[in-house]
Amino acid sequence: MSAIQGMMDNQALTKKEQKEIESMMQDMMFREMQEVYIGLVDRCFNKCVNNFRSRKVQSSEKECIKNCVAKSIAHTKRVQMRFTEQNQKLNAQMQAGAAGGMPPTQ
């Protein structure tokens, strides 16, 4: 169960309130995704495109952009994987604490 879902269940929100929260969360996620995408485009463009004398993107620029995007995606996946691992550890510690045991320290 997600933290948001748990909050919704515990506070007995109305359907309207639940929909409003879900809508706000979707908007926040969309904005965050846009910021990540804009940052990626900005970073790779500034790093790779240096010559504005031609209308066409040079093959070296294309290769640089391709590598920049691939590295950024790989980095993002790695960060997400580590975040998921840490979140699972935290959830396990919280469940152990709720079950009456003391959560293990890191």
Side-chain angles (χ1 to χ4, degrees), residues 5-66:
Q5 185 63 39
M7 181 180 73
M8 287 182 193
D9 290 344
N10 290 337
Q11 294 181 354
L13 299 174
T14 67
K15 293 285 185 189
K16 181 180 178 184
E17 291 171 329
Q18 288 177 6
K19 287 192 181 286
E20 288 174 1
I21 290 174
E22 289 171 7
S23 178
M24 287 179 2
M25 293 297 294
Q26 287 175 350
D27 288 345
M28 287 172 47
M29 288 188 300
F30 180 75
R31 276 183 265 143
E32 184 177 331
M33 213 165 51
Q34 278 183 317
E35 289 176 16
V36 169
Y37 177 75
I38 290 168
L40 171 66
V41 169
D42 189 50
R43 188 172 42 256
C44 292
F45 180 85
N46 289 333
K47 178 181 177 184
C48 299
V49 180
N50 302 311
N51 183 356
F52 295 97
R53 295 181 186 184
S54 173
R55 289 181 178 217
K56 295 185 178 184
V57 178
Q58 304 297 311
S59 61
S60 60
E61 293 171 332
K62 286 180 186 178
E63 189 65 27
C64 179
I65 290 169
K66 182 177 137 185

Side-chain angles (χ1 to χ4, degrees), residues 61-76:
E61 293 171 332
K62 286 180 186 178
E63 189 65 27
C64 179
I65 290 169
K66 182 177 137 185
N67 290 335
C68 180
V69 170
K71 285 181 182 181
S72 294
I73 290 171
H75 176 263
T76 299

Side-chain angles (χ1 to χ4, degrees), residues 72-95:
S72 294
I73 290 171
H75 176 263
T76 299
K77 285 181 180 180
R78 180 70 179 151
V79 168
Q80 288 174 339
M81 187 172 66
R82 294 295 296 161
F83 178 78
T84 300
E85 290 171 1
Q86 293 299 318
N87 196 29
Q88 289 172 346
K89 286 181 184 178
L90 181 62
N91 285 338
Q93 289 174 352
M94 289 173 64
Q95 287 177 354

